[in-house]
Amino acid sequence: MVWDWKSGEASAAPYIDRAKADFAKKHPDVTVEFVAQPFDQYYTLLGAAIQSGKGPDVILFNGGGQIRDRVDALAPLDEYLAEDKQRLAGWDAFTKDGRIYAGPVTLQGHPIYYNKALYESAGLDPASPATTWSEFVADCAAIARAGAKCFALGNKEGVGIQFWLSSLASGVLTAQEYDDWIAGKRDWSSPNVKRVFQLWQEAGEAGLNNDGANSTAMFNDSFALFQSGKAAHVIGLMSDVGHWKDFNEFLTADKLGVMDAPVVTAGTTPSLPYDGGIGYGVARWTKDPKVAADLVRSLTSTDALKAFYAEAGAIAADTTIDVSQGGPAVATIVSEIKGGKPALHVALSSKTLDLMGRLSQQLLGGSVTVDEVVKQLAASDQAG
Amino acid sequence: MPIGNVQPSVRPAQAGRTDGAVARSSVRRGGARSRRTGGGVWSERLAPLVLVAPAVLIIVVLRLYPLLLGVNFSFTGDGARNGMAVGLDNYRELFEDPLFRTALGNVGLLVLLLPVAVAIPGLLATFIYLRVPGHRLYRGVYFFPAVLSPVIVGAIFNLLLAFDGPLNAVLGSVGVSPVDWLGDPDLAMFIVVGVHIWATFGMALVVFLAGFATLDSALLDAARVDGASLPQVIWHVIIPSLTRTIQFVFVTTMIGMLTSMFGLLFVMTSGGPEGSTYLPEYYIWIQQGQMNRPALASAASTVLFVIMLVVGLLQINLLRRAGKEA
């Protein structure tokens, strides 16, 4: 039995069908049942299943904290998935202590999207967006004169800061700091880490964001602001929602651009932050982990993932899929996957992310200082 | 033998016959008892136990036992310490967590706002009872929000209260600068409570109207003849006559506020901004569902249970005392 929150959606049906067919070829005698759970209760229900020690054999997970917090309930898959390691990208998000716990299906990352039409009306060149922070702020001033906000920001859920941190960090942190962060050696008192939060605060104070960011839901009010041309940039997603396919529909494919993070600290090289978005893992209690792992392999086969990309608009974990039909934005994203790095926020625990969300709202509201924020986050990060 | 006491005063002519019937029936009953000695007494004693057994079993198996399991679970650890006894660690962590303290503080705020939540339907019911123009229309309109699900209500008010929403547009047209209703940590909780009151006062209004139905209109007329003003009528006639209704509404409103705000919070603020609209329920849900801390969530549930128990007992006490007075 498989638990997920995807198989109930019409756009995921061709994907599931192909994966099932692939699996049936290998194990004709095993029947697979997909049970779609509502996403807002998914981890609550899964928590109950884990407590009782029985439930689905194959489980869909979000990469990062959600799966790492629950590896006790999962079987390591290194030996079964070894053949796929080259073909698929995004393994890090499903790895803990050097062991792989799920096969990546999609990649999730945080490109900075921009509206080329707004750039034109603000008198900026849509083909060459700003590459440094000071240029970027100057562009924002031009965009403001044209009557639009610079960023569409939804921080009601406290998610806005996660996207901010991950998407801008490659232009702020040095490569060494970045890699250390992912490796778990996070120096919260470093001036560059502080700088990320200062930029967040300054952007709020300078009015770069839409009004009422703390009461604007990211999903999907902030994306709606971007789509309707009220803001020129949005830090979006690569897969599922708030991504190139959604934006293409409203802004048309040739008006949607993807830009690199502006360089804040001289000498840094911006890179696309991405991780494995969702992936299938195998429960520890399953009777035959080999069969279950084969199902995971079918669910991550090139054929199945191609269907997922085409129908659901996800950037699939399989980098061999041809995306040239999707427009310039998606082509830019896929071309940057090779040089991309894991997103910073994915390395943090759910608890620290929750705290960071609340602190980010305080920063925008002006009731806390950056020093206090990094102090509290450091304490939470070290405890968890 | 109640019949014997009531009937004679009304119909004295039949008194004798009634008494006779009572006497006969008591004789018959005595006879039956004497025949059913031994096993009969036992079955009579057992019958009530058998009859309440299903209810008791359901409560014990489906309520009390899980409750005990939950309390027991709250003394174990999460994650790496799963299943291990950790004593009071979870409770210590709870009370050190500023977020949980905020949640408890908000429960206190709800209790403080309770009189407002009771006064609004009370006042509106008074106006309807006093037949203000259009009272028939208002009676229907006021009840309408009570049939909407909290999720719908939350979604409606999210739109209305958005920073670029209609309410701020109206304020803007009269020169008031826009307010971030749901994004200001000092305001948001009051807004959510206000919306909750708006969504639920219809029920309390109906209860008040039912209370008014029992009000002696002669008293009102007398007060009017004596030249009492409206506030005086409300204060000296209506409120004293409706004490029991008011107390009932207090109890049900309190329970409603403590147990059914989750939907609104979830839709309107997600506990934010800055965690200012957390309630224990929401905290429990976050810990269990998002943070994967079921044991900590159990501890929070236990604390919430104790709070509800204390509030409930206080209210039963209050009702009982009110009953005696009336």
Side-chain angles (χ1 to χ4, degrees):
Chain A
M1 193 201 282
V2 184
W3 269 20
D4 61 28
W5 61 88
K6 280 276 167 202
S7 60
E9 293 167 21
S11 61
Y15 161 66
I16 300 284
D17 286 346
R18 293 212 195 163
K20 268 187 180 168
D22 188 69
F23 182 72
K25 262 186 273 167
K26 287 184 254 175
H27 300 279
D29 49 332
V30 180
T31 48
V32 183
E33 189 192 348
F34 282 83
V35 181
Q37 309 282 7
F39 181 65
D40 54 355
Q41 289 169 33
Y42 187 77
Y43 289 105
T44 312
L45 294 169
L46 191 59
I50 289 173
Q51 275 307 321
S52 65
K54 53 189 167 206
D57 303 298
V58 173
I59 310 167
L60 184 62
F61 275 101
N62 291 96
Q66 294 291 17
I67 189 166
R68 289 205 188 102
D69 289 352
R70 293 171 177 85
V71 290
D72 297 346
L74 297 174
L77 300 178
D78 303 67
E79 46 174 326
Y80 307 114
L81 303 183
E83 283 175 50
D84 295 329
K85 281 223 65 163
Q86 283 309 311
R87 185 174 55 87
L88 301 175
W91 294 97
D92 283 352
F94 303 106
T95 305
K96 185 173 181 180
D97 302 330
R99 314 210 69 177
I100 293 170
Y101 290 94
V105 173
T106 63
L107 299 180
Q108 190 58 287
H110 307 283
I112 305 173
Y113 294 98
Y114 68 100
N115 182 339
K116 292 183 181 172
L118 278 179
Y119 264 60
E120 281 163 15
S121 62
L124 303 169
D125 177 11
S128 60
T131 53
T132 68
W133 184 254
S134 52
E135 282 171 33
F136 183 75
V137 172
D139 286 0
C140 284
I143 290 163
R145 279 193 295 278
K149 289 287 179 182
C150 194
F151 276 112
L153 174 65
N155 200 38
K156 179 174 170 177
E157 308 93 335
V159 182
I161 184 74
Q162 300 177 16
F163 286 29
W164 180 271
L165 170 69
S166 287
S167 126
L168 294 183
S170 63
V172 186
L173 269 56
T174 64
Q176 184 63 42
E177 282 177 320
Y178 201 108
D179 295 342
D180 283 352
W181 178 291
I182 299 298
K185 289 175 275 177
R186 291 183 275 277
D187 179 10
W188 289 91
S189 57
S190 118
N192 285 341
V193 171
K194 272 191 203 173
R195 188 82 188 104
V196 175
F197 292 95
Q198 273 159 6
L199 290 174
W200 167 266
Q201 193 182 28
E202 286 165 16
E205 282 167 3
L208 299 190
N209 305 321
N210 50 280
D211 295 320
N214 275 348
S215 59
T216 305
M218 172 174 277
F219 307 98
N220 289 308
D221 293 352
S222 72
F223 297 136
L225 285 172
F226 177 70
Q227 283 166 357
S228 59
K230 287 182 181 138
H233 305 86
V234 72
I235 301 172
L237 293 162
M238 280 159 52
S239 300
D240 302 326
V241 288
H243 63 328
W244 50 275
K245 195 171 185 192
D246 286 354
F247 300 152
N248 275 354
E249 271 178 45
F250 286 86
L251 301 177
T252 69
D254 31 294
K255 293 294 176 200
L256 179 71
V258 169
M259 63 187 279
D260 282 336
V263 173
V264 179
T265 309
T268 54
T269 316
S271 58
L272 176 73
Y274 80 93
D275 290 274
I278 56 175
Y280 285 98
V282 172
R284 188 174 32 81
W285 55 75
T286 191
K287 284 196 204 87
D288 191 343
K290 172 86 181 69
V291 175
D294 273 347
L295 179 57
V296 172
R297 293 202 62 197
S298 293
L299 283 162
T300 54
S301 66
T302 304
D303 211 28
L305 291 181
K306 202 184 280 174
F308 203 7
Y309 157 74
E311 296 294 327
I315 301 278
D318 192 325
T319 48
T320 59
I321 294 173
D322 172 37
V323 294
S324 53
Q325 299 300 308
V330 65
T332 315
I333 293 173
V334 172
S335 72
E336 287 182 357
I337 284 178
K338 276 265 178 297
K341 288 183 173 185
L344 293 193
H345 77 265
V346 178
L348 302 174
S349 70
S350 323
K351 195 177 170 185
T352 305
L353 288 176
D354 186 60
L355 177 66
M356 187 164 77
R358 269 176 282 126
L359 290 172
S360 73
Q361 292 171 337
Q362 287 184 304
L363 272 177
L364 286 184
S367 57
V368 73
T369 62
V370 171
D371 286 331
E372 178 63 23
V373 167
V374 290
K375 200 178 109 197
Q376 287 196 29
L377 288 174
S380 166
D381 193 28
Q382 267 134 34
Chain B
M1 282 175 263
I3 316 164
N5 290 336
V6 181
Q7 294 280 50
S9 62
V10 185
R11 305 181 102 175
Q14 292 184 351
R17 214 192 291 166
T18 319
D19 281 348
V22 170
R24 242 176 286 141
S25 80
S26 72
V27 169
R28 207 185 300 140
R29 220 185 288 154
R33 200 176 288 150
S34 65
R35 244 176 282 142
R36 267 194 275 128
T37 43
V41 175
W42 273 111
S43 70
E44 210 161 89
R45 281 193 191 155
L46 274 178
L49 294 181
V50 171
L51 290 173
V52 296
V56 170
L57 273 180
I58 287 173
I59 291 175
V60 169
V61 174
L62 297 180
R63 294 267 167 166
L64 294 181
Y65 180 61
L67 184 76
L68 286 178
L69 281 185
V71 172
N72 186 36
F73 189 58
S74 71
F75 294 109
T76 65
D78 282 313
R81 297 200 296 167
N82 189 9
M84 283 155 59
V86 296
L88 289 171
D89 276 10
N90 286 325
Y91 291 91
R92 208 167 295 137
E93 191 183 339
L94 267 188
F95 287 103
E96 277 166 13
D97 187 348
L99 208 51
F100 189 70
R101 290 205 300 262
T102 311
L104 288 185
N106 281 336
V107 169
L109 182 70
L110 289 183
V111 175
L112 289 182
L113 290 174
L114 189 59
V116 182
V118 174
I120 290 173
L123 256 176
L124 293 174
T126 309
F127 291 144
I128 289 177
Y129 178 72
L130 296 176
R131 305 219 152 82
V132 292
H135 65 275
R136 284 215 173 78
L137 174 75
Y138 288 128
R139 202 164 47 185
V141 170
Y142 287 156
F143 191 70
F144 178 65
V147 301
L148 293 176
S149 112
V151 177
I152 310 281
V153 172
I156 292 173
F157 276 91
N158 267 352
L159 291 175
L160 285 177
L161 299 172
F163 196 88
D164 52 358
L167 181 61
N168 276 337
V170 170
L171 286 180
S173 67
V174 294
V176 180
S177 57
V179 179
D180 196 0
W181 300 105
L182 295 173
D184 183 337
D186 301 326
L187 257 183
M189 192 65 204
F190 290 97
I191 301 291
V192 177
V193 174
V195 172
H196 177 77
I197 292 174
W198 178 85
T200 55
F201 82 91
M203 278 297 172
L205 186 94
V206 170
V207 176
F208 270 118
L209 286 177
F212 275 117
T214 66
L215 193 66
D216 188 353
S217 59
L219 278 175
L220 276 183
D221 294 337
R224 282 210 192 99
V225 169
D226 289 345
S229 65
L230 180 65
Q232 283 173 325
V233 169
I234 293 177
W235 188 249
H236 292 291
V237 180
I238 294 181
I239 291 184
S241 315
L242 290 184
T243 356
R244 300 188 73 175
T245 312
I246 294 172
Q247 266 147 359
F248 177 76
V249 173
F250 253 97
V251 174
T252 49
T253 311
M254 186 74 235
I255 292 171
M257 285 232 229
L258 284 182
T259 58
S260 54
M261 295 268 292
F262 181 86
L264 271 186
L265 283 181
F266 186 79
V267 175
M268 290 182 67
T269 65
S270 317
E274 305 174 20
S276 63
T277 56
Y278 263 74
L279 281 180
E281 268 184 303
Y282 194 77
Y283 183 89
I284 292 164
W285 183 82
I286 288 282
Q287 293 301 338
Q288 150 71 10
Q290 309 301 111
M291 304 292 163
N292 198 25
R293 299 286 314 271
L296 185 67
S298 287
S301 307
T302 309
V303 173
L304 179 61
F305 172 72
V306 170
I307 292 174
M308 294 294 285
L309 199 68
V310 170
V311 171
L313 287 177
L314 279 179
Q315 285 175 335
I316 288 175
N317 207 355
L318 196 95
L319 274 185
R320 203 173 278 158
R321 232 185 314 150
K324 271 183 205 143
E325 276 166 25

